[in-house]
Structure formats: C-alpha cells, structure tokens
Amino acid sequence: MACASAGKRDMIMNQPGHGGDVPVAKRRRCVEPAGAAAAGIPEDIVEEILLRLPVKSILRFRSVCKSWRAMVADPRFVRLQLDHSTTAARHRPPSMLILADCYPGHGVAADFALGMTWSSSPVATADEDDVVDWDAVDDGDDDDNLDDAVDDGDDADDNLDDAVDGNADDNWDINDGAIGLGGALHYNGLVLLSSMENSSMLAKNAELRSNTFRANCNRPAQKLQAQLTDETEEKQSKNRVSRNFRT
Amino acid sequence: MATGSGAAAAAADAEEKESGSRMITLTSNEGKAFVVTEASARQSATIRSMVDDGGCVDKGFPLPNVDSKTLARVIQYCDEHGNKEAHTVDERAALAKFDKDFIAELDADKAFLYDVTMAANYLHIQGLFALTTQCIADTIKGKTPEEIRTAFGIEYDLTAQDEEEIKEEDTHA
C-alpha cells in the first residue's frame, strides 16, 4: 500500500474545477500537530470537511484554533473552497432562466425555454427559419441533459461547459417531465442571453462562439460569466424575454 | 468464428468476462479476509490502480490501516456502487437512497463515521469520502467554535491577539 498516500489527493484534485493543479506535496504545509489530531482526524480530512461548509461557518471556525485559522487563511484553501463550491453547485439541480432578445421571429432561446417549460417534447416550439436542430437535445440517451443541446462539441467555451456540463448524475433531464413552470423571476442557475438578431445561439457550439452570448451563473460562489463577443448590458436587458423553469 | 480475428475477439471477450467476475481478497488489520468482486474493489482507486498495474490480485490486499468493522462497512458501500448499474433514473435513485440510508446509519455513531471517513480517504473511495465528509460538514456547520473544539477534541490555543485579528478581519469583510 505504499502508493496509498499519494493517490487520493490526485484523484480528488483532478476533478474538473477542483484545482487539479495543486501539487500534492504542498498539501500539508499549514498542519500543526495540535488540534484535530487529538481526535484522530488528520488535518487534510479536516480540510476536506471545511471545504464542504458554507462560507459563514468557515469564517466562524477561524476561531476554533490556530491550525484551523491558518488553514482557512491560506490562499490555497480559499481557491479550493471556491472550486469546490463551484463543483458542488453543478451537482445540484439548477433552476434555469433563459433570456433572449424578442425581435420578431428571432426569439429562439425564449421559445426554447418555453418548449422546455411547457412540454416534455424534445422538439422546440420555435418556428423561425433559423430554428436549429433540436434533435441535438434528444439523442436518445437516458442522460438527456440540457448540456446535450449546448455541449455537443469539444470546442465549447470552457466557462460555458463548467456552467452547463454536469455529469449524467445531475439528472435534470429536460425530457422527463420534471420541469415545472416557475412563477417569479428567479434563477440560481444558468442564464443565457442573446441579443443577436439571428439568435440561434443554442444551435451548435460553433455558433455559440460566433454569436453574441453570455452565460452567467448567479450562485453565490459561482458568478462566472462568459461573454463571447462584445455586447452592451443595455441592449441585452432591453430586449430580453424571460422564462423561468426549475426542476 | 472461423476467422482469426473472430477467434481473437472471442478470446478477448472471454478474458473480459473472466476479469469482470474475478474475486479479490481484502484483509483487515485484524487479519480478517473479505472476498469481494473486482467491480466492488475497483471503487477504491488505490486497489484499482494496483489491480491495473498487475499487482498482487491473487495474494489479496492487506489493509493495515483498516479494522474489520470499518472494512465491512466500506465494502457494503463498494458492493452497492460497484456491482449495481447506475444507468437509468430508477437505478440512480436506488443508489441515492442507499447512500442516504447508509450515511444516516453512520451518522448515529460519530466515532465510526470518522473511521469510515478515514478508511475512504486511505482507500481513495471518492464517492464514500464525499458522502461522509459532507455528512460531517452538515453536522458541524451550525456549531460554535467552542462546540467544534469539544467535538473534535481540539485545544483552544488562540491568543488574545489572534482573537483581535479575527475581529478585525470580520469588520473588513
């Protein structure tokens, strides 16, 4: 079992969004022999526990002892915590808001949202001439997540991938009828905005790149934003049509 | 299967079937042997890498850091996750329910929960480790620092100056 101590860190740290670049050797540098060791819990496990706490608790626990305080104050911990909360967020079912412009005949994303919201059909309700291949949404897998629609190429923007590309276990299938129509303008998940006249933005990743596109995740620790081309905030907010649905 | 490639494919199939049904012996620090399926054992990244490296599959794997009680519980998790499919919604729901019951039971015995957490860390069973550490986090998140010190047997070693600095950090936050 000589290799036992090296691998665990590698495995956890190599999770997407989990700070895989942290060298294993640096992991224990803020360890003090006192503290959790007294209860037989190694410092690195304590750290893993702290990483799973809400920020409020983490801040409060600076007052537990010197070693916990040092651990929390370590910039590396802060980065891991951010990565961790981002990763964890992706494993919860998000509520989702899709916003798009409302130029006549071009509210594809809005129609997309409507289609997702009111129908379990994978076929979009949009009937514009720039309607995209919605079959991409339904490829017959049992993990028909929305990411199938937007993540069908490896050239996708990384941020966007992070925002929408959960694993199959996420289980926020858009086709299983689990999505209800939300009332309030509430979201804690992915927001897509498009103000391009030709807003076939969910078509293909290639098109995602070329169209004006914004992905904005409004979870507390996950405010990542991807803006692929220049676009003014005013134009987006002025033109948006919104629908809200959550699983 | 008249062609050579067909025969080779058949042989590969047979080999795969064989490896899929291989049994692996894990031995606790008390010398108690636990025979598990390879699929179950592969839940542990430690064992998985050793198996893939062509390691001591036949001789089994001694686990000097894990006692029998803990190992039995860890294997219970690995059996469930290693031997069952998780392809359909129902299958995943069944696993999620297993996890929920599994952790609820562990949560009732904190010392044992810590043992299982450390074994999961040692054996690199990611799912189990995430499950147990999250459970501990959920337990302690509402506690005061004093309660944390009691729960973890931590000695209070902050100086007045440390406390002052923390207060200062809070006001700047």
Side-chain angles (χ1 to χ4, degrees):
Chain A
M1 300 305 268
C3 63
S5 56
K8 171 71 184 177
R9 285 299 156 202
D10 282 334
M11 191 177 68
I12 287 190
M13 308 314 288
N14 286 338
Q15 291 297 299
H18 201 286
D21 56 330
V22 179
V24 173
K26 286 193 180 173
R27 301 239 350 131
R28 297 188 64 106
R29 72 191 145 100
C30 65
V31 171
E32 287 181 19
I41 299 188
E43 194 97 3
D44 56 349
I45 293 183
V46 168
E47 184 177 81
E48 288 290 336
I49 294 167
L50 289 180
L51 283 173
R52 289 172 164 80
L53 286 168
V55 173
K56 247 183 158 175
S57 304
I58 294 174
L59 292 177
R60 191 166 68 245
F61 293 166
R62 287 174 304 171
S63 303
V64 168
C65 65
K66 273 182 186 292
S67 71
W68 281 38
R69 181 167 177 242
M71 202 183 331
V72 171
D74 192 327
R76 188 187 54 84
F77 178 87
V78 174
R79 189 160 50 94
L80 283 178
Q81 202 280 330
L82 181 67
D83 288 343
H84 196 275
S85 59
T86 307
T87 307
R90 277 190 279 139
H91 289 263
R92 290 190 292 269
S95 66
M96 173 176 273
L97 175 69
I98 294 183
L99 305 170
D101 63 272
C102 55
Y103 292 125
H106 293 289
V108 176
D111 285 333
F112 177 79
L114 282 170
M116 293 310 163
T117 304
W118 288 330
S119 153
S120 62
S121 162
V123 181
T125 55
D127 58 2
E128 287 76 22
D129 54 4
D130 59 349
V131 163
V132 297
D133 177 16
W134 295 107
D135 287 342
V137 178
D138 183 17
D139 58 7
D141 285 342
D142 58 17
D143 57 349
D144 266 340
N145 298 334
L146 185 58
D147 53 276
D148 283 335
V150 294
D151 185 22
D152 59 356
D154 55 11
D155 60 345
D157 178 90
D158 280 342
N159 284 338
L160 179 60
D161 269 350
D162 282 344
V164 298
D165 185 15
N167 59 32
D169 297 326
D170 282 353
N171 198 24
W172 40 294
D173 290 9
I174 50 180
N175 295 325
D176 65 3
I179 294 170
L181 176 62
L185 191 68
H186 157 81
Y187 63 91
N188 61 5
L190 176 71
V191 179
L192 308 177
L193 294 172
S194 171
S195 299
M196 290 291 281
E197 290 192 16
N198 198 356
S199 59
S200 56
M201 59 184 226
L202 288 167
K204 294 268 190 293
N205 283 313
E207 286 178 75
L208 284 181
R209 281 194 173 286
S210 62
N211 281 356
T212 295
F213 182 83
R214 258 174 111 89
N216 183 0
C217 291
N218 201 31
R219 291 181 188 282
Q222 195 190 2
K223 288 184 178 170
L224 63 87
Q225 204 170 63
Q227 182 158 18
L228 301 184
T229 60
D230 289 339
E231 182 58 41
T232 62
E233 201 72 49
E234 298 82 62
K235 191 177 176 191
Q236 281 175 342
S237 56
K238 190 172 65 190
N239 291 322
R240 72 189 172 190
V241 169
S242 60
R243 289 294 182 269
N244 169 27
F245 60 92
R246 64 174 303 151
T247 54
Chain B
M1 290 302 183
T3 66
S5 65
D13 273 357
E15 196 178 314
E16 192 181 322
K17 267 188 198 137
E18 197 192 331
S19 75
S21 62
R22 259 196 309 197
M23 299 304 281
I24 287 176
T25 304
L26 309 176
T27 311
S28 73
N29 64 0
E30 293 137 316
K32 187 171 175 190
F34 294 79
V35 180
V36 300
T37 64
E38 180 176 346
S40 175
R42 290 181 78 85
Q43 290 290 306
S44 157
T46 309
I47 295 170
R48 186 165 65 229
S49 63
M50 287 193 286
V51 169
D52 289 345
D53 289 346
C56 41
V57 175
D58 297 336
K59 284 181 267 170
F61 298 97
L63 305 174
N65 292 353
V66 188
D67 64 38
S68 300
K69 182 188 175 197
T70 308
L71 184 56
R73 186 55 67 97
V74 167
I75 287 172
Q76 190 190 348
Y77 176 92
C78 291
D79 280 347
E80 191 74 16
H81 282 259
N83 298 337
K84 299 230 169 119
E85 304 285 344
H87 297 310
T88 68
V89 171
D90 283 350
E91 284 166 350
R92 286 200 291 266
L95 275 181
K97 179 167 190 316
F98 170 85
D99 283 356
K100 198 169 160 236
D101 296 344
F102 183 85
I103 200 66
E105 213 174 303
L106 275 184
D107 196 25
D109 182 351
K110 290 282 188 272
F112 190 38
L113 174 63
Y114 297 147
D115 287 344
V116 172
T117 303
M118 284 191 278
N121 185 44
Y122 168 65
L123 289 167
H124 310 166
I125 305 165
Q126 195 190 352
L128 179 57
F129 186 66
L131 194 63
T132 55
T133 48
Q134 186 62 58
C135 175
I136 297 170
D138 291 344
T139 305
I140 69 171
K141 71 180 175 191
K143 292 196 186 303
T144 65
E146 180 56 45
E147 287 169 327
I148 295 296
R149 285 190 288 270
T150 307
F152 285 86
I154 297 171
E155 203 179 317
Y156 180 76
D157 60 358
L158 292 177
T159 62
Q161 194 192 343
D162 288 331
E163 292 282 17
E164 202 56 43
E165 281 172 16
I166 290 171
K167 268 194 201 131
E168 191 128 316
E169 287 163 22
D170 283 341
T171 55
H172 289 306

